[in-house]
């Protein structure tokens, strides 16, 4: 029985840090040309939430794009936190779709800002839509605590 594989690189991140993130999805089945992939960040755009990226690749920093078979795909923004990619070719079982968040030149200082609070297994959803069916895959990313800025002790 084949299973799809979802991985994050890096698999842990420090809360409130800038970085470049790669979400890789290896297909379990053949997917036809024109398959839609909807990537959901699950952020409401609050200052403490995960920073929402730009879909325009001309921006060079804090952007979202996908890579399939060495081709770069520009995202189409569906909602505040949902981005759609369309497969330009058929994907065979085992082919990899990589969704990238950050800077095009891989500079972490121009990357995407992570959320500012700790969360075990932060979810990122990937909806795969073909003519026949709709599936949802989930990426898990651990958000760990950052350096302590101040400590206030209150005593009776």
């Amino acid at each position: 029985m084949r299973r799809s594989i979802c991985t994050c690189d890096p698999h842990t991140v420090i809360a409130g840090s800038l970085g470049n993130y790669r979400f890789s999805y290896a297909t379990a089945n053949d997917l036809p040309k024109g398959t839609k992939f909807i990537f959901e960040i699950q952020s409401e755009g609050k200052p403490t939430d995960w920073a929402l990226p730009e879909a325009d690749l001309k921006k060079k920093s804090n952007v979202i794009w996908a890579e399939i078979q060495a081709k770069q795909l520009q995202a189409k923004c569906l909602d505040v936190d949902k981005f759609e990619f369309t497969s330009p070719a058929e994907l065979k079982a085992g082919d990899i779709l990589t969704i990238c968040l950050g800077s095009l030149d891989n500079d972490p200082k121009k990357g995407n800002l992570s959320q500012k609070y700790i969360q075990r297994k932060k979810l990122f959803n990937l909806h795969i839509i073909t003519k026949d069916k709709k599936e949802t895959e989930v990426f898990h990313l651990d958000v760990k605590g950052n350096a302590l800025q101040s400590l206030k002790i209150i005593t009776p």
Side-chain angles (χ1 to χ4, degrees), residues 52-66:
L52 297 171
E54 298 285 334
D56 186 10
L57 293 178
K58 294 176 185 171
K59 298 280 185 184
K60 303 285 185 198
S61 64
N62 191 24
V63 292
I64 184 170
W65 74 96

Side-chain angles (χ1 to χ4, degrees), residues 31-47:
L31 297 174
K33 177 181 177 180
T35 299
K36 301 221 182 276
F37 298 96
I38 299 175
F39 186 70
E40 186 177 6
I41 296 176
Q42 295 191 356
S43 174
E44 296 174 6
K46 296 177 186 173

Side-chain angles (χ1 to χ4, degrees), residues 60-117:
K60 303 285 185 198
S61 64
N62 191 24
V63 292
I64 184 170
W65 74 96
E67 295 172 355
I68 298 177
Q69 300 170 344
K71 292 182 184 177
Q72 220 175 44
L73 303 177
Q74 185 164 338
K76 176 183 170 187
C77 188
L78 297 179
D79 199 359
V80 175
D81 66 338
K82 293 182 183 174
F83 299 91
E84 180 183 84
F85 304 96
T86 304
S87 174
E90 179 183 6
L91 296 175
K92 300 288 184 189
D95 284 350
I96 297 174
L97 162 78
T98 304
I99 297 172
C100 305
L101 284 175
S103 68
L104 290 169
D105 57 359
N106 210 22
D107 182 5
K109 294 177 183 161
K110 295 180 184 176
N112 186 264
L113 182 66
S114 68
Q115 65 192 34
K116 295 180 180 173
Y117 55 90

Side-chain angles (χ1 to χ4, degrees), residues 12 15 26-27 34 43 50 55 57 81 102 104 106 108 123 126 134 143 150-151 155-156:
T12 61
T27 64
S43 174
W50 203 277
L57 293 178
D81 66 338
L104 290 169
N106 210 22
L123 301 178
L126 179 65
K134 179 180 178 181
V143 182
S150 66
L151 180 64
T155 61

